[in-house]
Amino acid sequence: MMDFDRSRVQWLASPGLVDYPFAVAAMEQRAAAIRLEEVPELVWLLEHPHLYTAGTGARPSDLREPDRLPVFAAGRGGQYTYHGPGQRIAYVMLDVQRRFGADVRAFVGTLERWLIESLAMLGVEGEVRPGRVGVWVVPPGPAPERKIAAIGIRIRRGISYHGVSLNVAPDLGYYDGIVPCGIADRGVTSLADLGRPAATKDVDMCLRRGFESVFGVETARISPSDADLGASNPAAE
């Protein structure tokens, strides 16, 4: 067992685009090490190349254009979603058992509050909806609310991985290839689409402040070279 400060969560931001299979393998490795108390908990910020992922509840009929982008079975909860440049992903590897016990619902609710608080710092009012995981924005006028942030979590032996995605300025047209999160009558949006463009560094700062506030923990920034995420990232080569 390694001696480290269990009250602090490591905070990592990867530059460039991170290959999806590499990220999943790195998360699984890190989650196993957290369970063995060999390494601290970690929040990992990144972006992926254009792709779709299918959660454990994904319906084949919700993949409208199966040949448009690569499709990966994610192993997380939820249905189909899109990932790509301009979307900030935060993979969350936390000891949920220690922090929340068996109350997974409370954990997911805390993730939603984290996103809402972070969005507020960026000048956007986020909301939740009963029965729908994620964070929504009500646009001006008669249009229905639109999703700005998705949540898809897996918990294995008390440790979480996968996480949340926040639309900063992605090409929203890629969502046409799926039924996002299985909800056909609601659209998606982004900070840029709402007229609230933000630089990645500013989004990251707000996410970090929001995380520390909502989870009640301190974070310790680390570099990719200090993260020990296993093999190299093919997308960066």
Side-chain angles (χ1 to χ4, degrees):
M1 184 184 301
M2 184 179 293
D3 183 22
F4 55 82
D5 184 356
R6 288 172 62 85
S7 68
R8 303 183 77 188
V9 174
Q10 289 188 336
W11 191 269
L12 169 65
S14 285
L17 301 178
V18 177
D19 182 77
Y20 186 77
F22 165 78
V24 173
M27 282 191 287
E28 290 178 342
Q29 175 181 301
R30 181 73 180 219
I34 291 169
R35 180 177 56 81
L36 295 174
E37 300 184 9
E38 295 176 344
V39 294
E41 297 163 294
L42 174 69
V43 175
W44 182 16
L45 303 184
L46 53 82
E47 292 183 6
H48 286 309
H50 299 291
L51 58 93
Y52 297 129
T53 63
T56 54
R59 298 183 294 260
S61 60
D62 286 346
L63 183 59
R64 290 169 165 164
E65 300 178 29
D67 298 324
R68 185 169 185 178
L69 294 177
V71 181
F72 295 91
R76 54 157 174 79
Q79 301 183 44
Y80 281 106
T81 194
Y82 161 75
H83 295 314
Q87 181 190 75
R88 205 54 168 161
I89 294 172
Y91 285 138
V92 182
M93 286 148 274
L94 297 179
D95 188 337
V96 176
Q97 181 66 39
R98 179 169 66 88
R99 295 184 179 277
F100 294 90
D103 196 345
V104 176
R105 191 181 298 263
F107 174 50
V108 173
T110 305
L111 293 174
E112 289 174 330
R113 287 192 290 112
W114 167 33
L115 288 164
I116 289 170
E117 185 158 324
S118 302
L119 283 167
M121 297 180 202
L122 293 162
V124 172
E125 182 179 358
E127 302 179 1
V128 295
R129 290 290 182 269
R132 291 192 237 142
V133 175
V135 176
W136 302 79
V137 173
V138 179
E145 68 265 21
R146 291 176 284 175
K147 197 169 197 175
I148 194 169
I151 297 175
I153 288 290
R154 182 166 184 179
I155 299 175
R156 178 183 291 170
R157 302 182 72 175
I159 309 300
S160 67
Y161 58 110
H162 295 283
V164 306
S165 59
L166 173 62
N167 287 341
V168 180
D171 182 344
L172 296 177
Y174 283 103
Y175 281 98
D176 295 341
I178 57 172
V179 177
C181 303
I183 302 172
D185 61 346
R186 298 290 186 273
V188 292
T189 190
S190 67
L191 293 174
D193 186 49
L194 293 168
R196 295 283 185 174
T200 299
K201 64 180 181 63
D202 296 326
V203 173
D204 288 359
M205 179 184 67
C206 293
L207 285 169
R208 188 178 182 187
R209 288 180 178 174
F211 182 87
E212 291 181 334
S213 172
V214 170
F215 279 86
V217 299
E218 292 184 7
T219 60
R221 184 175 298 174
I222 61 172
S223 67
S225 61
D226 295 328
D228 190 22
L229 293 174
S232 61
N233 167 30
E237 295 179 349

